[in-house]
Amino acid sequence: MSSMKRNATPSPSQPPPSDVDDQSPNITEEVDHAMNEFYNGNPTKALSLVKDILSRHPNSALAHNTLSYLLDKSLDSTATPDHKKLKNAKSSVNSSKRAVELCPISLSFWYSYVIALVKLAYNDNNAGFEAVIQACDTSLSIENPIVHGEDEIDLIRKNLRLFKLRSVYLIDTKYLGSITNEIQELQDRKEEIELRAVSARKNFKTQELASSDNKRKLKNVKKVAADVDTVATRVKAYWNHGMSMDQKKDLLRIGIEDLKLHFAKNNSPAAMAVFMQAVEYVKVAKNWKFWTCCCCSERFFDVELNREHIKSVHLGTFSDESQSVMPEIEFDSVHDTVESRKWGPVDVIAAKKMMEDLSRNRRGDEGLNESTVFMNQKEWPYCKDSRRDKVINEIRARLRLFLRVRFFVSSHLLVFMDLIMEMLKKRIPEQLLKEHWMNRTLLSACFLDISELNRVLKFLDDLAHICGLYGLCSSLAKDKIRGEFRVAYHEKIVFNEDFSCVVFDKRMLHGELLVPNDGAAVTSSANAEIVLNDDECKDAIMDWLLKGGTNINIGEQLKQWANLRETSRSQGKDFFKIYEAEFHRMQNILEKKILYLRYIKVFQNLDSICVEEDKRREEFGRKPLSYESLLSERERQTKNTYDGNFESDIIWYILEENHEDNEIKLEIKRHISEINEKLYKFDGIIRTTTIAMQQTGKKIEAVTAYDYRSIMVPLLKSFILERLDELAKKDAEEKSKAAAKALLSEPDLDDKKNTTDKGCGDARQGKGKSKEKMKKKNKRKPKELQATGGSKEHQENVEQISFPAEHGGDNPPNPEIFGPVITDELGQDKPKLMPEEEKEQRTLEEHLEDQRHVENEAKQERLAELNKAGSSAGNMEKKCLRRINFDDFNWKYFYQAQGVKLDEK
């Protein structure tokens, strides 16, 4: 804006300040003397006199104001070097500021202070014009200012308002030049926060696992490795060879009460608390996911509720007036033109001739339809021009980018079309262009020559650059890539309807470990019974179960869960700070747009006054009225109306330097053009800020979103692994007992040979005896033992003896070894044992008692060895047998008694 001629700077001798030092007439006389020296061309002497006054009267507001005035005048001299100007400008501000502090109701002193601030802003890039606006607002709010004459009060106030208007304009111009850097800085901060948080989460997990492993390894590296390997081997073997499909399915169904006992057994009340918290949450939300406010930690089960909470409670909302000036997005019609139409260079001369021919042949509505044929490109005269074609495609690419991110708004479309029409009407009459609707389609750009096309391309690039669009689009592209690699998948676990069980999806049994993360946490059709064959069972679930080791540390899992939430909340706070900055930027831009809409409305009204006067001059041919007189009359009319000062100040500002009609008209047009340029740039910043806020909001939602499965799955895995290991141990123990039983039932071949030599040699003859005799001998009852003093326990056990055939079959033992056996089914009495038989029986019982003692010791030893090294049951049992002397008694009674022993076990 141009400088004002009506500066009306009040004399330093006005008005008499209220400070005690200024009450003396001597001060006024001394100040007047100093000013006379200045007017007589002695500025140095004048400055010296004023400084002398202040040395004697440091609280003289008049002297401080005069010193500021003299220092300001020194800035106008070309002889003053730049560094000296900056020093004098700062000193002038300090002096005038001291003057208004000593006499705060003096409008004259405030005006001098505003002038000093303006000159400092021009000489110091770091000063800015914000202080000017603040000083203007303060001075204009004084209710009873001290000045000489009412007219001078009005004049000073008008100047203060104009200084404010000029400062706003300069601030906004500077702001538009720096907004790109501001937007880019915030985008860089977002990237930095996200990368730092991801790295922190990865490092924490690695450090925690490494720390845990190191602690265990420091205790006993070999032992830990051996134990882990043993457990993994045991559970894998049991899973693959010892479990049915139904058992495997049951393993994925975990009772809540069983899980509570598991936590109690592991002494983990914290795990119990987290688990019950998840259960109570899922009962209400029916989902594993939840969001936590990064500001106050309030939990929400719906992301929209979290979003609205942040905006309404912690951020704020835009006023209705601000909402009303949000730009309207252009998409559908523009998108159709950009994507569905042919873009290429058009022969302008041929196109002009076609339009002229169509216009001459118009006949009512039919002619209108004919004219649309040209607008619809059906017969456009395209030409070959590689240079134009290249730039046209670049313009089209920019428009596609604008549309993709919803950046293109109505003001952009309007300026884009005005720019094209401004250049195109130089070769094709404007009326002809409008007649064929060429002012309504983006395709008009295809009619421009190479230099004009470059101008359009520069307009689009400048618009994108000043709004920070390119940097924002780059950031959005990175987010998209990260999002594609960060597709949410999770183990499918749900509660049953009465929340008594939590169930893993049975599809995990044939390798489908992860499913899309819908977050559903209650039973559904997706968890219906799945028919699986044994051969469909995969090892993937075992790899999943054993991943991370066989000893899942619940405490470490809970620590990681707590750390995840703390890290995410910290990251959310960092993003919220950016969110706030973007919100305040949006508020600022909307307020600027509201102000400039008021400006342009005033300038458009003034322009219409001039246009109406032009029409009157043409229609009636009367003596014209000057624009200056018309605008001055308008100023008087609006002076006492609502917002009259605003329009009055603008009129006064225009007439300050322009008095001729052409000058006034051009000044009004220039302001309208400049304001329109600011408005469409404001709209661009509003759109990029809106897009950036949406991006930041999504980042906040992403980092403050949690999934209870993140902690539930490790807890459930620890339970399943412990349960599976217990089942594997139990199965191994049962198999070990069975092996021991089979081993102890087998006669040692060498011992059997020795026994046969001592009295069982006739056993070979038994092979020729009849089957009936064999059956009778097999039915012999143990009453023989009773006749020889055998215990009741032995008698009862002997009745249940079943002898293995061929070391484990169903055939009865050799009757020659055990002798005749008489059944008592008919109540018949049995023969008594012979004396030598009774002796052998007593010897046998003593040896059996020794054997029980040895076996009990061996059993404990065997269990320990199985846990440590997996020693076979056969070796353990043979070791037990080697500790017994088998040569001291008759072997036929050993086999008979051994049958009792096996039954007892």
Side-chain angles (χ1 to χ4, degrees):
M1 292 186 179
S2 57
S3 59
M4 295 181 293
K5 290 181 179 178
R6 298 187 229 180
N7 224 351
T9 303
S11 170
S13 62
Q14 302 171 353
S18 60
D19 190 87
V20 175
D21 285 355
D22 288 330
Q23 298 303 314
S24 172
N26 293 335
I27 294 179
T28 303
E29 292 176 0
E30 291 182 37
V31 168
D32 287 341
H33 176 62
M35 290 305 299
N36 288 333
E37 291 292 335
F38 175 78
Y39 293 137
N40 291 330
N42 299 314
T44 303
K45 186 176 181 180
L47 195 61
S48 178
L49 289 173
V50 174
K51 289 181 178 179
D52 181 64
I53 296 171
L54 285 171
S55 67
R56 291 179 282 109
H57 303 283
N59 291 330
S60 172
L62 179 61
H64 280 293
N65 187 68
T66 304
L67 178 60
S68 174
Y69 177 81
L70 295 175
L71 291 170
D72 282 340
K73 288 300 181 179
S74 71
L75 302 178
D76 299 333
S77 173
T78 57
T80 307
D82 290 342
H83 71 278
K84 185 67 173 177
K85 286 182 178 180
L86 180 58
K87 181 179 179 181
N88 288 346
K90 292 180 178 179
S91 298
S92 176
V93 169
N94 292 333
S95 296
S96 58
K97 183 179 180 181
R98 181 57 180 157
V100 297
E101 289 173 350
L102 292 169
C103 189
I105 62 173
S106 172
L107 197 60
S108 301
F109 293 168
W110 274 104
Y111 183 65
S112 296
Y113 180 44
V114 168
I115 292 175
L117 290 170
V118 169
K119 292 194 174 182
L120 177 63
Y122 276 118
N123 287 276
D124 185 1
N125 292 329
N126 296 323
F129 287 87
E130 289 77 11
V132 177
I133 296 174
Q134 185 178 359
C136 290
D137 288 338
T138 303
S139 58
L140 289 170
S141 66
I142 300 174
E143 295 182 0
N144 299 305
I146 301 174
V147 287
H148 293 294
E150 290 296 324
D151 292 340
E152 193 165 347
I153 288 180
D154 290 341
L155 185 61
I156 293 176
R157 282 177 170 170
K158 192 180 292 288
N159 274 287
L160 288 170
R161 288 195 294 268
L162 291 174
F163 268 122
K164 179 181 177 179
L165 186 140
R166 177 189 294 175
S167 298
V168 168
Y169 182 89
L170 293 172
I171 288 173
D172 293 343
T173 301
K174 183 178 179 181
Y175 176 77
L176 287 172
S178 63
I179 189 65
T180 302
N181 293 334
E182 178 186 320
I183 294 174
Q184 188 59 48
E185 286 175 4
L186 291 182
Q187 292 302 126
D188 291 342
R189 282 179 58 192
K190 291 181 195 178
E191 185 74 9
E192 179 186 348
I193 293 168
E194 182 153 326
L195 293 177
R196 188 173 66 246
V198 170
S199 177
R201 289 196 294 270
K202 288 182 178 178
N203 289 340
F204 175 82
K205 187 173 183 180
T206 302
Q207 291 170 3
E208 284 298 310
L209 292 176
S211 174
S212 174
D213 289 341
N214 288 337
K215 290 176 182 177
R216 288 194 294 265
K217 290 176 182 178
L218 287 174
K219 293 180 181 179
N220 190 328
V221 177
K222 294 183 178 180
K223 182 180 183 301
V224 171
D227 289 348
V228 170
D229 183 65
T230 300
V231 174
T233 302
R234 180 166 54 240
V235 296
K236 279 186 176 181
Y238 180 64
W239 175 267
N240 291 324
H241 307 295
M243 296 185 74
S244 66
M245 181 55 66
D246 288 338
Q247 287 176 317
K248 291 175 180 179
K249 291 178 181 179
D250 288 342
L251 193 67
L252 299 181
R253 184 179 182 86
I254 305 167
I256 302 302
E257 295 302 321
D258 293 336
L259 200 57
K260 289 180 180 179
L261 291 175
H262 171 69
F263 294 141
K265 177 182 176 182
N266 287 275
N267 192 25
S268 183
M272 177 71 75
V274 170
F275 173 73
M276 293 311 299
Q277 186 185 67
V279 173
E280 294 304 316
Y281 175 80
V282 170
K283 283 182 178 179
V284 177
K286 304 295 187 284
N287 201 293
W288 292 111
K289 299 178 182 178
F290 67 96
W291 287 261
T292 300
C293 174
C294 58
C295 299
C296 65
S297 299
E298 185 173 351
R299 280 198 313 170
F300 298 91
F301 61 85
D302 182 81
V303 66
E304 184 63 31
L305 294 176
N306 182 52
R307 185 183 303 130
E308 291 303 318
H309 166 81
I310 291 175
K311 288 181 180 179
S312 60
V313 177
H314 302 292
L315 189 65
T317 56
F318 301 116
S319 65
D320 292 340
E321 186 179 20
S322 295
Q323 294 277 8
S324 68
V325 299
M326 289 285 188
E328 180 182 355
I329 299 173
E330 293 284 349
F331 183 78
D332 293 336
S333 60
V334 177
H335 182 270
D336 178 67
T337 302
V338 172
E339 297 296 340
S340 305
R341 305 294 183 90
K342 180 180 178 181
W343 287 68
V346 174
D347 185 336
V348 180
I349 296 176
K352 178 182 178 183
K353 185 177 183 303
M354 287 181 63
M355 285 188 282
E356 290 173 341
D357 292 342
L358 286 170
S359 297
R360 280 194 297 269
N361 296 330
R362 275 195 320 177
R363 293 184 184 89
D365 292 339
E366 182 182 356
L368 182 63
N369 290 332
E370 289 177 0
S371 69
T372 62
V373 171
F374 184 84
M375 208 278 286
N376 287 331
Q377 293 183 279
K378 290 185 178 179
E379 299 179 6
W380 278 23
Y382 291 101
C383 63
K384 292 184 178 180
D385 189 329
S386 58
R387 294 172 62 209
R388 288 174 64 195
D389 188 64
K390 179 181 178 182
V391 181
I392 287 172
N393 284 327
E394 289 179 355
I395 291 172
R396 192 179 187 186
R398 300 297 190 279
L399 293 173
R400 280 175 171 157
L401 174 65
F402 290 3
L403 292 170
R404 186 163 63 247
V405 295
R406 302 295 196 273
F407 173 78
F408 205 57
V409 297
S410 55
S411 62
H412 299 158
L413 177 61
L414 180 62
V415 176
F416 183 83
M417 293 307 306
D418 285 347
L419 178 60
I420 294 175
M421 294 300 292
E422 176 192 341
M423 296 182 289
L424 198 56
K425 68 184 181 182
K426 296 176 182 178
R427 284 173 288 161
I428 302 176
E430 184 176 6
Q431 184 59 35
L432 190 62
L433 293 170
K434 291 181 178 179
E435 184 178 328
H436 292 281
W437 298 354
M438 297 308 294
N439 62 329
R440 302 185 185 182
T441 176
L442 299 171
L443 290 167
S444 297
C446 297
F447 287 67
L448 301 176
D449 63 26
I450 187 66
S451 61
E452 293 167 338
L453 287 169
N454 283 324
R455 186 178 171 187
V456 172
L457 181 61
K458 185 177 185 303
F459 159 74
L460 295 176
D461 279 339
D462 288 347
L463 175 61
H465 175 74
I466 202 168
C467 302
L469 181 64
Y470 291 147
L472 179 59
C473 288
S474 176
S475 180
L476 292 173
K478 291 179 182 178
D479 287 347
K480 184 178 180 180
I481 293 173
R482 276 192 288 259
E484 290 174 352
F485 284 100
R486 201 164 49 194
V487 177
Y489 285 90
H490 222 299
E491 292 91 345
K492 177 75 172 180
I493 51 175
V494 294
F495 287 100
N496 63 348
E497 293 180 354
D498 62 357
F499 285 85
S500 62
C501 294
V502 60
V503 186
F504 279 93
D505 196 304
K506 295 178 179 64
R507 286 173 293 185
M508 296 179 72
L509 291 173
H510 60 89
E512 294 184 32
L513 301 176
L514 302 177
V515 295
N517 189 4
D518 60 357
V522 292
T523 186
S524 63
S525 58
N527 195 47
E529 183 66 23
I530 297 172
V531 178
L532 297 173
N533 298 321
D534 287 343
D535 58 358
E536 289 182 303
C537 182
K538 306 295 182 183
D539 289 335
I541 189 171
M542 287 305 299
D543 295 335
W544 166 80
L545 188 61
L546 294 170
K547 184 178 181 180
T550 59
N551 185 19
I552 298 176
N553 191 310
I554 295 176
E556 288 182 3
Q557 296 294 332
L558 294 172
K559 186 177 180 181
Q560 290 183 44
W561 168 252
N563 182 77
L564 169 66
R565 298 185 64 181
E566 183 60 33
T567 301
S568 298
R569 183 182 177 187
S570 176
Q571 185 183 11
K573 287 181 177 179
D574 290 339
F575 277 130
F576 182 76
K577 291 178 182 177
I578 296 176
Y579 202 40
E580 279 185 312
E582 291 169 339
F583 176 81
H584 292 314
R585 182 207 303 160
M586 179 74 87
Q587 266 189 331
N588 187 24
I589 291 294
L590 291 173
E591 290 171 359
K592 289 181 185 297
K593 184 177 179 180
I594 292 170
L595 179 61
Y596 276 86
L597 287 174
R598 293 173 64 197
Y599 287 161
I600 199 168
K601 183 178 180 181
V602 171
F603 282 109
Q604 288 172 342
N605 289 338
L606 299 180
D607 184 59
S608 65
I609 292 174
C610 298
V611 171
E612 289 297 323
E613 174 58 22
D614 291 341
K615 289 181 180 179
R616 284 196 299 269
R617 291 174 183 178
E618 293 176 0
E619 292 175 2
F620 302 105
R622 60 183 179 83
K623 183 179 180 180
L625 297 174
S626 67
Y627 293 162
E628 184 177 18
S629 63
L630 291 172
L631 297 184
S632 296
E633 178 62 26
R634 175 67 178 177
E635 180 185 6
R636 287 191 293 270
Q637 291 174 355
T638 60
K639 186 174 182 179
N640 297 320
T641 61
Y642 173 76
D643 207 21
N645 284 335
F646 185 77
E647 186 171 352
S648 175
D649 290 344
I650 291 176
I651 295 173
W652 191 79
Y653 173 76
I654 293 173
L655 297 180
E656 181 190 19
E657 291 188 354
N658 303 284
H659 306 286
E660 299 296 328
D661 284 359
N662 288 338
E663 293 176 347
I664 293 173
K665 193 170 188 178
L666 287 174
E667 184 71 7
I668 293 173
K669 293 289 187 183
R670 184 175 68 82
H671 281 290
I672 291 175
S673 177
E674 288 179 349
I675 294 173
N676 273 326
E677 183 178 355
K678 278 186 167 59
L679 285 173
Y680 81 73
K681 289 178 180 179
F682 286 156
D683 282 346
I685 297 172
I686 290 171
R687 285 306 305 153
T688 52
T689 304
T690 301
I691 296 167
M693 288 188 69
Q694 291 171 350
Q695 180 198 39
T696 311
K698 289 179 180 179
K699 289 182 181 294
I700 292 175
E701 291 166 6
V703 300
T704 57
Y706 305 96
D707 194 317
Y708 270 119
R709 283 171 295 187
S710 298
I711 183 61
M712 285 289 290
V713 169
L715 296 180
L716 295 174
K717 282 176 68 174
S718 72
F719 173 85
I720 293 175
L721 190 58
E722 182 177 295
R723 182 179 176 188
L724 184 60
D725 191 32
E726 289 175 354
L727 292 173
K729 287 179 180 178
K730 182 178 179 181
D731 180 71
E733 185 176 351
E734 290 176 352
K735 289 180 178 179
S736 176
K737 289 180 179 180
K741 179 178 179 180
L743 201 66
L744 292 174
S745 299
E746 292 180 357
D748 186 279
L749 295 180
D750 293 335
D751 291 340
K752 181 176 181 182
K753 183 178 179 181
N754 294 334
T755 305
T756 304
D757 293 340
K758 289 185 177 181
C760 301
D762 295 338
R764 287 188 299 271
Q765 300 176 7
K767 295 181 179 178
K769 294 187 178 181
S770 67
K771 294 182 179 179
E772 184 176 350
K773 184 177 180 181
M774 294 284 289
K775 289 181 181 178
K776 289 181 179 180
K777 292 184 178 180
N778 284 340
K779 292 181 180 180
R780 178 183 175 185
K781 286 288 183 175
K783 291 184 179 179
E784 303 168 5
L785 296 177
Q786 186 177 5
T788 58
S791 67
K792 182 180 180 181
E793 180 181 355
H794 285 171
Q795 296 175 41
E796 293 174 352
N797 289 332
V798 169
E799 292 177 1
Q800 303 175 18
I801 294 174
S802 61
F803 295 95
E806 302 296 335
H807 307 296
D810 295 329
N811 294 332
N814 195 325
E816 294 297 324
I817 297 176
F818 287 91
V821 179
I822 300 174
T823 63
D824 62 350
E825 293 176 357
L826 300 177
Q828 298 175 354
D829 294 333
K830 291 183 180 181
K832 294 183 179 180
L833 294 176
M834 301 297 291
E836 63 273 13
E837 291 177 334
E838 289 179 353
K839 181 179 179 181
E840 290 291 335
Q841 177 65 33
R842 286 193 296 271
T843 304
L844 175 62
E845 288 178 357
E846 292 174 359
H847 279 281
L848 287 177
E849 187 63 33
D850 293 338
Q851 183 184 4
R852 290 191 193 99
H853 179 71
V854 171
E855 282 185 352
N856 287 334
E857 291 181 351
K859 189 180 296 182
Q860 298 298 324
E861 202 173 324
R862 176 169 55 81
L863 290 175
E865 289 182 0
L866 282 174
N867 289 333
K868 292 182 179 179
S871 299
S872 66
N875 291 335
M876 289 293 296
E877 298 303 333
K878 288 180 179 180
K879 181 179 178 181
C880 294
L881 294 176
R882 283 197 297 269
R883 298 179 61 179
I884 304 174
N885 187 349
F886 294 97
D887 297 326
D888 295 339
F889 54 86
N890 192 301
W891 277 103
K892 71 175 183 179
Y893 298 112
F894 165 76
Y895 285 118
Q896 182 179 356
Q898 185 62 28
V900 176
K901 176 60 181 175
L902 286 174
D903 193 72
E904 286 178 350
K905 291 173 61 178

